[in-house]
């Protein structure tokens, strides 16, 4: 039984169609197309692209204009999962072999780079400096979080673990909300507030922490 409210379900289809169209044929060789589409065959909640669309709608914009950005955020998110699985040597994600297990480490690495680049290219079509600023800072945060995660040890404190999760997970949620608002025409301090992880607008950081914690519990062996 679906746990998604009606407003979520109504946008999941259009978002998925946009993702499929974006990744349909980027290479002459079919194997390459299969590799980059592999991450999307096992489903996913699509929380980040839904947040883009709903943020645009909440600020009075046309949510259909946010579909490219929504697809871009999910494609970038998929790239981070490819890298994360490769670094952690995970063998299974969502019940299926991870990309590097299904193909190879080299193919996983290059497919992740392609997905991240494709997502940024899609966002650049908006010709909006604020959108590019947000996704740029987010990609830096994710990379910082991944590196800190690699060099941290089992004795890392709770605050250190939360800081890493903020960088790796919260930053993309913040950009999803901020980019959706930017598409609706929000600017200035209000736009910074939508993306910021500090101050009264840190609702998405709190949401991220709840989301991340529940995901870790579901994926644990306990």
């Amino acid at each position: 039984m679906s746990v998604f409210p009606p407003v979520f379900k109504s946008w999941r289809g259009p978002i998925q169609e946009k993702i499929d169209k974006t990744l349909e044929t980027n290479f002459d060789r079919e194997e390459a197309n299969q590799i980059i589409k592999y991450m999307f065959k096992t489903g996913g909640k699509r929380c980040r692209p839904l947040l883009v669309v709903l943020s645009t709608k909440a600020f009075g914009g046309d949510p259909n204009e946010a579909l490219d950005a929504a697809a871009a955020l999910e494609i970038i998110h998929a790239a981070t999962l490819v890298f994360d699985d490769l670094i952690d040597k995970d063998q299974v994600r969502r019940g299926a072999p991870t990309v590097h297990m299904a193909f190879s480490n080299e193919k996983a690495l290059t497919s992740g780079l392609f997905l991240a680049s494709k997502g940024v290219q899609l966002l650049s079509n908006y010709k909006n400096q604020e959108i590019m600023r947000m996704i740029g800072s987010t990609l830096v945060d994710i990379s910082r979080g991944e590196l800190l995660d690699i060099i941290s040890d089992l004795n890392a404190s709770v605050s250190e673990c939360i800081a890493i999760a903020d960088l790796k997970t919260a930053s993309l949620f913040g950009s999803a909300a901020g980019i959706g608002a930017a598409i609706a025409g929000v600017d200035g301090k209000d736009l910074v507030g939508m993306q910021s992880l500090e101050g009264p607008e840190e609702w998405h950081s709190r949401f991220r922490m709840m989301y991340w914690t529940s995901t870790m519990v579901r994926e644990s062996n306990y």
Side-chain angles (χ1 to χ4, degrees):
M1 184 173 67
S2 175
V3 297
F4 293 102
V7 67
F8 276 35
K9 289 191 289 186
S10 65
W11 285 106
R12 280 173 61 82
I15 289 169
Q16 189 58 51
E17 288 176 11
K18 182 63 69 173
I19 292 170
D20 292 341
K21 184 177 180 181
T22 301
L23 300 180
E24 187 174 11
T25 52
N26 286 277
F27 298 93
D28 292 334
R29 296 189 59 173
E30 184 56 29
E31 181 188 9
N33 289 317
Q34 289 177 355
I35 294 171
I36 65 169
K37 291 187 288 187
Y38 180 81
M39 275 296 295
F40 300 92
K41 293 184 179 296
T42 54
K45 295 174 283 296
R46 305 292 187 260
C47 292
R48 295 156 190 82
L50 284 166
L51 185 55
V52 175
V53 170
L54 296 179
S55 178
T56 298
K57 184 175 182 179
F59 283 98
D62 180 357
N64 289 291
E65 294 181 2
L67 286 175
D68 278 348
L73 265 288
E74 187 65 16
I75 290 169
I76 290 170
H77 171 56
T80 69
L81 298 183
V82 173
F83 294 137
D84 210 42
D85 289 340
L86 182 59
I87 291 167
D88 294 342
K89 299 180 175 61
D90 289 332
Q91 298 185 10
V92 177
R93 177 174 288 278
R94 299 171 187 155
T98 50
V99 177
H100 65 275
M101 293 299 296
F103 300 98
S104 70
N105 288 357
E106 294 82 3
K107 291 174 182 177
L109 177 61
T110 50
S111 68
L113 288 170
F114 175 84
L115 290 171
S117 303
K118 191 67 178 179
V120 172
Q121 181 188 51
L122 205 53
L123 290 172
S124 71
N125 293 334
Y126 285 93
K127 302 185 184 337
N128 184 310
Q129 185 176 353
E130 285 301 309
I131 289 177
M132 299 313 295
R133 177 191 63 78
M134 284 186 276
I135 198 59
S137 65
T138 292
L139 289 172
V140 169
D141 282 346
I142 292 171
S143 301
R144 287 174 59 210
E146 194 66 69
L147 181 56
L148 290 171
D149 194 10
I150 292 170
I151 64 177
S152 64
D153 55 34
L154 296 176
N155 295 319
S157 66
V158 172
S159 61
E160 288 174 327
C161 291
I162 290 175
I164 290 171
D166 275 333
L167 291 168
K168 290 177 62 175
T169 308
S171 56
L172 197 55
F173 277 112
S175 274
I179 288 171
I183 293 169
V186 176
D187 57 16
K189 187 164 64 174
D190 291 336
L191 182 59
V192 172
M194 283 301 292
Q195 187 199 14
S196 174
L197 301 179
E198 299 177 354
E201 299 84 6
E202 64 178 359
W203 60 269
H204 38 72
S205 183
R206 297 175 187 274
F207 168 77
R208 182 271 317 146
M209 201 63 224
M210 177 182 67
Y211 173 88
W212 178 76
T213 303
S214 64
T215 300
M216 292 301 102
V217 170
R218 286 198 306 272
E219 292 181 354
S220 72
N221 294 321
Y222 296 100

